[in-house]
């Protein structure tokens, strides 16, 4: 089973970055607890997606309406940062760890992970909304042999899986666009001969 889980993870686009995250051994959640986790995760994914999309859209229109929307957006960003700091100050966050994840699972450092076969709960805090962690129940499985561990997610609703896939895909697309923009020479600058 774990080989199939690893293959399903490896075949998908994944978000690879350093996140404030924890991975703790837990009892498998019952149906009611899993339903609550999925409901919270769906809300977190909507909030994170909205905040990330809003922050990444450049304003190219100079119309008064666009300028006013940009000002409101900036004010909302400040308000969100204040709320994040009040609800969960930087000192209250878990340390950052390298994490690669998608809707199938996550790869993270072995250090501190429970043994293979142990149910776990991975909590990921996004910078745009630190106070609302994404809670991903799963099980520690056999994965890569390079000092990292693999968590296969279990019990995620279809809505949460779809939300994760969209979030990861948009982040991947954003990273590709940024890499292309950096690779292009500056417009209007003549090439050196």
């Amino acid at each position: 089973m774990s080989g199939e889980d690893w293959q399903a993870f490896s075949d998908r686009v994944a978000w690879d970055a350093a996140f404030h995250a924890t991975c703790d051994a837990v009892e498998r959640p019952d149906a009611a607890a899993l339903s609550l986790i999925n409901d919270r995760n769906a809300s977190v994914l909507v909030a994170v997606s909205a905040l990330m999309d809003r922050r990444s859209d450049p304003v190219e229109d100079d119309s008064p309406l666009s300028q006013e929307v940009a000002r409101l957006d900036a004010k909302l960003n400040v308000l969100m940062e204040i709320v994040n700091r009040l609800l969960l100050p930087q000192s209250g966050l878990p340390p950052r760890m390298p994490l690669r994840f998608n809707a199938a699972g996550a790869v993270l450092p072995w250090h501190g992970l429970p043994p293979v076969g142990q149910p776990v709960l991975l909590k990921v805090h996004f910078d745009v909304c630190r106070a609302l962690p994404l809670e991903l129940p799963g099980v520690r499985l056999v994965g890569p042999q390079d000092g990292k561990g693999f968590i296969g997610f279990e019990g995620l609703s279809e809505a949460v899986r779809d939300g994760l896939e969209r979030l990861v895909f948009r982040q991947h697309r954003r990273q590709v666009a940024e890499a292309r923009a950096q690779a292009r020479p500056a417009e209007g600058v003549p090439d050196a001969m």
Side-chain angles (χ1 to χ4, degrees):
M1 176 173 156
S2 66
E4 293 172 7
D5 291 331
W6 175 249
Q7 191 63 43
F9 172 80
S10 299
D11 289 344
R12 290 184 163 104
V13 172
W15 187 349
D16 194 351
F19 294 93
H20 293 283
T22 60
C23 185
D24 298 314
V26 296
E27 294 293 320
R28 274 198 169 84
D30 62 14
L34 201 52
S35 178
L36 287 172
I37 289 170
N38 279 313
D39 288 346
R40 283 193 307 259
N41 283 342
S43 296
V44 169
L45 287 167
V46 167
V48 168
S49 293
L51 290 168
M52 288 181 68
D53 285 347
R54 195 171 31 79
R55 289 181 180 193
S56 66
D57 291 341
V59 177
E60 296 178 5
D61 189 4
D62 287 337
S63 72
L65 180 59
S66 294
Q67 291 174 358
E68 183 61 27
V69 168
R71 279 191 292 277
L72 288 173
D73 182 53
K75 289 176 183 178
L76 186 56
N77 286 341
V78 170
L79 182 59
M80 282 303 301
E81 186 60 28
I82 291 169
V83 169
N84 275 328
R85 288 183 186 189
L86 288 174
L87 293 178
L88 187 62
Q90 191 75 19
S91 62
L93 287 170
R96 285 191 185 270
M97 73 167 73
L99 178 64
R100 189 170 139 230
F101 73 96
N102 59 31
V107 173
L108 57 160
W110 258 335
H111 178 70
L113 285 181
V116 171
Q118 175 74 44
V120 297
L121 183 65
L122 176 65
K123 290 184 181 180
V124 181
H125 297 262
F126 295 94
D127 289 332
V128 294
C129 193
R130 292 188 311 256
L132 299 174
L134 194 59
E135 298 174 328
L136 302 165
V139 65
R140 167 78 195 283
L141 300 172
V142 175
Q145 302 300 316
D146 60 355
K148 298 198 173 22
F150 175 58
I151 305 297
F153 298 144
E154 292 185 338
L156 299 181
S157 68
E158 192 65 31
V160 171
R161 286 188 183 279
D162 289 345
L164 271 170
E165 289 289 340
R166 283 191 302 274
L167 179 67
V168 168
F169 178 75
R170 281 195 304 268
Q171 179 63 23
H172 175 71
R173 189 177 64 199
R174 194 173 293 123
Q175 288 172 331
V176 167
E178 288 171 1
R180 285 182 181 163
Q182 290 176 355
R184 271 186 250 139
E187 293 181 22
V189 176
D191 290 337
M193 292 189 190

